[in-house]
């Protein structure tokens, strides 16, 4: 099994100073088996596409776009991206009732395999889907805002294998003990208790921001 590459394209913070920031989240997932997959699109197309250019990501190469939930800090760049990328299939949570003319749109309710080794937890609590990605180390969870709750999301992702890591927005999550034992913790975007999490789990934690690249 080859390595999976995850690049944070859009976040409230930046690891690479030249990259733009904004309240939102977007990450590119490259498995090497299928065309790159973009999870969420940040709050605005300008920052999203400018960051992609700086990270040398070709928006036209994206084969699949997955939107976690219908909030504008995750959907804001979608329109601009679709204007450039004319082929990507789109996976929306069922609660996001949006049709995109001329585009293959899948409305996700239950868990499903989106691409080889990349699964959706399915829409949880009627609002949001997260990704469960199969890597050599186990399952890596990628979240948007974690509105359904981190406990619920990790539980749903665990159906696809042993969860070893999580990256994304954790929102107001404060049941920190749930994270104990994970070997990768990357609190991004809306995570309210970022510094508390990183202090409690300094070894597995990584600072999130646009430009962060993980090879898992
Ligand atoms: Zn949200
Ligand atoms: Zn958000």
């Amino acid at each position: 099994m080859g390595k999976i590459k995850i690049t944070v394209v859009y976040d409230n913070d930046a690891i690479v100073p030249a990259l733009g920031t904004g309240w939102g989240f977007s990450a590119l997932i490259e498995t090497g088996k299928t065309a790159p997959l973009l999870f969420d699109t940040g709050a605005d197309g300008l920052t999203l596409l400018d960051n992609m250019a700086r990270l040398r990501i070709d928006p036209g190469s994206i084969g699949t776009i997955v939107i976690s939930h219908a909030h504008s800090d995750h959907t804001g760049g979608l329109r601009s991206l679709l204007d450039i990328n004319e082929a990507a299939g789109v996976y929306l949570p069922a609660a996001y009732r949006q049709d995109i003319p001329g585009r293959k749109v899948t409305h996700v309710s239950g868990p499903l395999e989106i691409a080889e080794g990349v699964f959706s937890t399915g829409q949880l609590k009627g609002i949001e889907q997260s990704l469960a990605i199969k890597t050599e180390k186990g399952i890596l969870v990628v979240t948007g805002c974690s509105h359904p709750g981190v406990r619920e999301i990790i539980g749903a992702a665990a159906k696809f294998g042993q969860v070893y890591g999580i990256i994304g927005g954790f929102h107001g999550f404060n049941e920190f003990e749930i994270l104990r034992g994970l070997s990768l913790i990357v609190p991004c975007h809306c995570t309210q208790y970022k510094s508390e999490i990183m202090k409690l789990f300094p070894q597995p934690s990584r600072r999130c921001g646009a430009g962060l690249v993980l090879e898992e």
Side-chain angles (χ1 to χ4, degrees), residues 23 69 73-74 145 189-190:
W23 183 275
H69 66 299
D73 51 328
H74 300 259
C145 265
H189 175 42
C190 58

Side-chain angles (χ1 to χ4, degrees), residues 35-36 58-65 78-91 100-106:
D58 172 11
S61 71
I62 293 165
T64 307
I65 301 165
L78 181 58
R79 177 57 48 201
S80 310
L81 180 59
L82 293 175
D83 284 345
I84 303 182
N85 179 316
E86 289 173 352
V90 182
Y91 287 77
I100 305 166
R103 193 69 62 138
K104 188 176 182 288
V105 177
T106 306

Side-chain angles (χ1 to χ4, degrees), residues 8-16 186-188 207-213:
V8 175
V9 180
Y10 194 118
D11 189 62
N12 300 35
D13 292 322
I15 297 283
V16 175
V186 192
C188 305
R207 188 162 81 84
C208 190
L212 175 69
V213 175

Side-chain angles (χ1 to χ4, degrees), residues 4 6 133-141 154 157-158 161-167 179-186 204 214-216:
I4 310 261
I6 292 148
I133 303 173
K134 250 192 186 129
T135 77
E136 286 171 348
K137 302 172 190 168
I139 295 289
L140 177 64
V141 180
I154 290 180
Q162 176 83 34
V163 173
Y164 78 93
I166 182 165
I167 174 170
L179 303 177
R180 192 167 299 282
L182 297 184
S183 52
L184 180 69
I185 303 167
V186 192
L214 302 173
E215 302 211 56
E216 294 298 310

Side-chain angles (χ1 to χ4, degrees), residues 120-122 124-125 128-133 139-143 146-170 173 175-186 197 201:
S120 167
T121 57
L124 301 176
K125 300 246 172 104
E128 183 173 346
Q129 62 177 331
S130 305
L131 294 181
I133 303 173
I139 295 289
L140 177 64
V141 180
V142 186
T143 66
S146 295
H147 293 298
V150 171
R151 177 194 291 276
E152 180 96 7
I153 292 168
I154 290 180
K159 288 173 192 136
F160 302 105
Q162 176 83 34
V163 173
Y164 78 93
I166 182 165
I167 174 170
F170 301 169
F173 166 73
E175 299 170 281
F176 304 130
E177 285 309 307
I178 289 174
L179 303 177
R180 192 167 299 282
L182 297 184
S183 52
L184 180 69
I185 303 167
V186 192
I197 291 168
F201 308 106

